[in-house]
Amino acid sequence: MQRMKFVVGGVLILAAVIFLIVTSTQSTAEYFLTVDEVSAKGAQVVNKNVRLSGAVIGQTIAYDPSTLTLTFDVAHVPGDQALIEDEGGLAEVLHAAVTDPGRAHVKVVYVGPKPDLLRNEAQAIMTGQMKSDGIFYADELLLKCPTRYEEAVPEQAASG
Amino acid sequence: MVADFGYGVLVLTFLATFFSAGMAYVGVRRRSESLIESARRGLLLTFPLISIASAALIYLLVTDQYQVAFVYQVTSRNMPAYLKVTAWWGGQAGSLVFWTWLLSAFTTAVTLRRWDRDREFLPWVVVVASITLAFFLMLVIFFENPFARFYQTAEGVSSYTLPPAGAVLFTPPDGNGLNPLLRHPGMVIHPPMLYLGFVSFVIPYAFAMAALISGRTDDRWIRLTRRWTLWAWLFLSFGLVLGGRWAYDVLGWGGYWGWDPVEIAAFMPWLTGTAFLHSVMIQEKRGQLKQWNMILIILTYALVIFGTFLTRSGVLSSVHSFAQSAIGPLFFAFIGLTFITSFALLIWRWPQLHGETEMRSLLSREALFLLNNLLFMSILVVCFWGVIFPLISELVTGQKVTVGPPFYERATAPIFASLMLLMGVAPLSAWGHSTWKTLGRALWKPALGATIVAYPLIVTRTMNWIAWIGFYLVVLVLLVTLYEFWRAARARQKSHAENFIAALWTLVGRNRRRYGGYIIHLSMMLMAIGILGIELFQKETQGSVPVGQSLSLSGYDVKYEEVAQFNFKPGHDVMRAVVSVYRGGKFLGELHPRIDYYYSPTNPSETTQTMTIPGQRATLEDDLYVLLVDWQPVSTGGATFKIYVNPLVNWLWLGSLLFFVGVIIAAWPEREVEPVTESRSRVIRQVSAAD
């Protein structure tokens, strides 16, 4: 009888934790997509939470400080770590993506302070939504610059 | 020359760890005290040896020996000497050496203790410590050699441990320099604190394994390592708080914790460690949960190695994971191997680890401790799920799906709230047996008090129900805990005719562990106030204003006065704005948000890094946090600012200070005489006599 109480209590806790994890995962999951995948899926991903990664193209960076609106284009980079390693590491892949005119591009809009690490051939990891106008509206922007410092810690710009 | 010497010393240390592990093992098999003694001495050698190798590395760092690849990567000529020394742990290879150095220092401290009692643990502690050391030394020697140098060959310049035939030593004129973001006092001590926490958890694990192997499965191993565990926990907590403070001060996004996989990697051993600290008390006081404690310490050790691995391998996409290298699979193999071995040992000893008494009442103190453990494990499961979810979803559906901070916040908030409720209830429940009635009688006064205090505070300010629950629980725990102090001190005051302060002082001094623990609970509540404040009520605004104009937020007016650029140091310029802060027309002071520009040492026109440092005005009520985002020359006009008002956030930092006071009180050496334990150890003696 005593044992039963403990078993029931344990099962209840387990059920509650599983419930929390399942519902939280469902309501907050983000699809991790590359630029190619976003372009290919088109309407399927419009208004969905997406985490998009791409290489920043330097000459497209524009910033309007009066509205804090930042726009830039990103070029396709592979999403798979092993693939990036095969192609010679992150720095090489980013360089190739930016210089290759045949790559798929996506225009990104982000409102907020201009991140310190935003520059040509940085890797941008953005969270946000693709709207029907084909522009990616980022709520969060994370940047990585692989070449310069062995242990660089990128700036994280979070908004919202 | 120095580099070769340092590398040679590391190789020698590697051999010494093998010698120790082997000798200890053979010593036990042959029951030879002299072999075990030589194993002990072998392990004692590792600390001076790694110290010498580290000294060689530091010498190379401070003397600008850029032919050494590691020195080139993490230092440059314009860095001050102290940063060149701390660059020791500024890169992967060096930080692995630093790890082994700390571990050898700790194992030395353990092997130097008086071993006339508990001698059966010694050989196995030596084996576990030696194997862990050997693993990290292997990584350093074969994969991440900090002493590797640049050589010019026909194919170009590359770094080598041993120069290839016909290669010429290559010395760059200057180094890359440590990332400016890391040149912050918080960042200088944050990694060593985390590492101290990580490394000191190896000691209780080593004793746990020694207890399993030697078959001495009473609570002796816990008593011997209790203080180690507390210090490990203190360092780990300190490391986590420092990391948060650094992010808040330097990264300029108005927050302190981003649920980044690397942050979670450091948080996970903290969770199991905290559960362990609580559940060992049940084993000491009631002789229960012995198997569970073993599981917790094995998990903690595995998570410590996993945490080092995550920060060092780049397996997950994270703001921290810059270090990409070949050592990932090795870490994975080592974790897998120790995990399997540990659990095999545990299963082997499982029958000897049965509880001496049974848990009977769901409301007893021990049952509530068990619940506390389950809640900590639940948070661990949430964190682990969040970290591995992208990998799992990719395996199952082929589509990488990630979860971010909202997932962790949503899933952990109810569990944290339950933990707070437990913190309010558990101190009032009795060991062995409690009923709803006794518990209710103890709890109704603080519960009513919390309602009286919390209700007007919250309802007049907000109708946010999460805040309502959160602050209610905070007040409840504060009242219950303070009442515990007051009640015990009053009782002592009456029985010993002391004044209240003296009574309180003696009381805490006599029961350091209990009252240290309560102080930690109080500090957690102060931190909870800060976290609730910034998470629920953070306000932000942004905009461009010309000189003399203001931005307004939450009753503050921030007026832009001027901006000026000056050359701070060679290669480092500062753009500093001056803003005046007003509230209700009253001048409160000036703030100086700034942008730091760092230029490449080789090409002075190339900006290598910028840093946005906020101007902060800290009060207990809130933190005004002003960022300079962008600026134009004064003639054409304005500058852009982003402003946050973070209510109550400074309670978080205050709470962390009180937290350290609490842990130090709890960890302070104490004579081990508790009536409960004495009677229990007598029981054990009788049991073993009957065997």
Side-chain angles (χ1 to χ4, degrees), chain B residues 51-69:
Chain B
S51 300
I52 292 169
S54 305
L57 185 58
I58 292 172
Y59 171 81
L60 295 171
L61 286 167
V62 257
T63 53
D64 305 312
Q65 312 271 334
Y66 299 117
Q67 74 277 19
V68 177

Side-chain angles (χ1 to χ4, degrees), chain A residues 2 13 17 21 23 25 27-28 30 32-33 41 65 68 81 116 119 145 148-154 156, chain B residues 90-91 177 179 181 253 312 319 322 324 360 371 385 399-402 407 410 542 544 608 610 612 640:
Chain A
Q2 290 297 335
I13 292 173
V17 171
I21 291 180
T23 56
T25 308
S27 65
T28 63
E30 294 159 350
F32 207 112
L33 297 176
K41 291 192 188 222
L68 297 168
Q81 195 65 46
D116 296 338
R119 72 174 82 104
C145 296
R148 186 60 211 166
Y149 296 104
E150 196 220 22
E151 288 267 328
V153 173
Q156 177 168 342
Chain B
N179 186 329
L181 283 172
W253 43 282
R312 293 280 151 239
V319 290
F322 270 78
Q324 310 260 354
R360 282 172 319 187
L371 181 57
W385 173 255
Q399 175 68 62
K400 199 166 178 181
V401 185
T402 63
F407 163 78
R410 227 193 96 136
Q542 53 201 16
S544 283
T608 56
T610 57
T612 310
T640 308

